[in-house]
């Protein structure tokens, strides 16, 4: 049982972690809703709207690219469209926070490469993410290295999660919902 002292410590740790992320990423992504002294609460909201306006790189592109770095995407577009809401919990240690920040900084470098014309947006590691093992087999026709797609940071060579599918058309899926669950009547008690 956590108790009052444990709950206080967990809260303090989550707030400290969110502020650590805000401090590390603030030079790379604008941070929304900072209070006194530039601090955030238990969540750090990274604003990608300016990046999207200037480069076309969307919050979806960043979220999908995070999969290649071994992360599940943070909450997207809530409470503000075009943002990522990062909520580190008390269970994330400093190494994991640094790993996440390093990934986001590397992704910002990829965004900058798109902005500089190194890669076209529509054929960049951001827009093509996530990269499955299957998509890396065979002829590689993209303007960026397959190694960058597969292992954007060296540490992933030791412990890589391979997503089973590429990017889906989320808007199509939202408009054409297919429900495979039983009808509501199946749950009615007799």
């Amino acid at each position: 049982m956590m108790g009052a002292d444990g709950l206080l410590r967990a809260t303090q740790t989550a707030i400290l972690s969110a502020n650590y992320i805000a401090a590390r990423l603030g030079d790379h992504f604008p941070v929304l809703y900072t209070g006194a002294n530039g601090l955030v609460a238990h969540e750090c909201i990274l604003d990608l709207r300016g990046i999207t306006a200037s480069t076309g790189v969307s919050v979806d592109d960043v979220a999908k690219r995070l999969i290649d770095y071994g992360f599940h995407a943070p909450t997207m577009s809530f409470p503000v469209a075009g943002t990522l809401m990062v909520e580190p919990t008390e269970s994330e240690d400093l190494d994991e926070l640094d790993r996440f920040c390093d990934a986001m900084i590397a992704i910002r470098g990829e965004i900058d490469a798109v902005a500089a014309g190194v890669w076209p947006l529509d054929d960049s590691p951001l827009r093509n993410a996530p990269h499955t093992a299957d998509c890396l087999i065979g002829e590689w026709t993209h303007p960026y290295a397959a190694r960058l797609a597969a292992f954007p940071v060296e540490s992933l060579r030791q412990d890589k999660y391979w997503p089973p599918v590429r990017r889906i058309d989320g808007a199509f899926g939202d408009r054409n919902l297919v429900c495979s669950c039983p009808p509501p009547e199946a749950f009615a008690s007799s």
Side-chain angles (χ1 to χ4, degrees), residues 120 123 128 135-146:
D123 199 9
N128 288 327
C135 81
L136 297 165
I137 297 171
E139 184 180 357
W140 186 257
T141 60
H142 303 289
Y144 55 95

Side-chain angles (χ1 to χ4, degrees), residues 6-164:
L7 182 59
L8 176 63
R9 179 74 175 148
T11 302
Q12 291 169 331
T13 302
I15 291 170
L16 183 62
S17 294
N19 279 283
Y20 180 78
I21 289 172
R24 284 234 23 227
L25 296 182
D27 289 341
H28 306 281
F29 300 93
V31 177
L32 295 183
Y33 303 122
T34 57
N37 303 314
L39 299 177
V40 299
H42 68 286
E43 60 197 26
C44 169
I45 299 174
L46 304 174
D47 189 358
L48 278 75
R49 294 174 296 178
I51 290 168
T52 301
S54 64
T55 68
V57 174
S58 70
V59 68
D60 288 351
D61 295 329
V62 173
K64 299 303 182 187
R65 186 63 172 144
L66 276 169
I67 296 170
D68 287 335
Y69 284 83
F71 291 97
H72 186 282
T75 302
M76 298 179 352
S77 297
F78 180 84
V80 178
T83 65
L84 290 174
M85 181 171 59
V86 183
E87 298 180 86
T89 67
E90 71 283 355
S91 62
E92 305 298 341
D93 64 20
L94 184 57
D95 287 342
E96 190 66 359
L97 296 177
D98 281 333
R99 194 172 77 83
F100 175 78
C101 290
D102 292 345
M104 288 297 294
I105 292 166
I107 288 170
R108 181 55 201 239
E110 294 172 358
I111 293 168
D112 293 343
V114 167
V118 174
W119 305 309
L121 173 59
D122 289 338
D123 199 9
S124 68
L126 293 149
R127 188 58 54 89
N128 288 327
H131 296 86
T132 62
D134 192 51
C135 81
L136 297 165
I137 297 171
E139 184 180 357
W140 186 257
T141 60
H142 303 289
Y144 55 95
R147 181 170 298 281
L148 176 68
F151 305 112
V153 290
E154 190 61 30
S155 62
L156 291 173
R157 293 180 56 77
Q158 302 297 323
D159 187 20
K160 171 76 177 180
Y161 165 77
W162 291 99

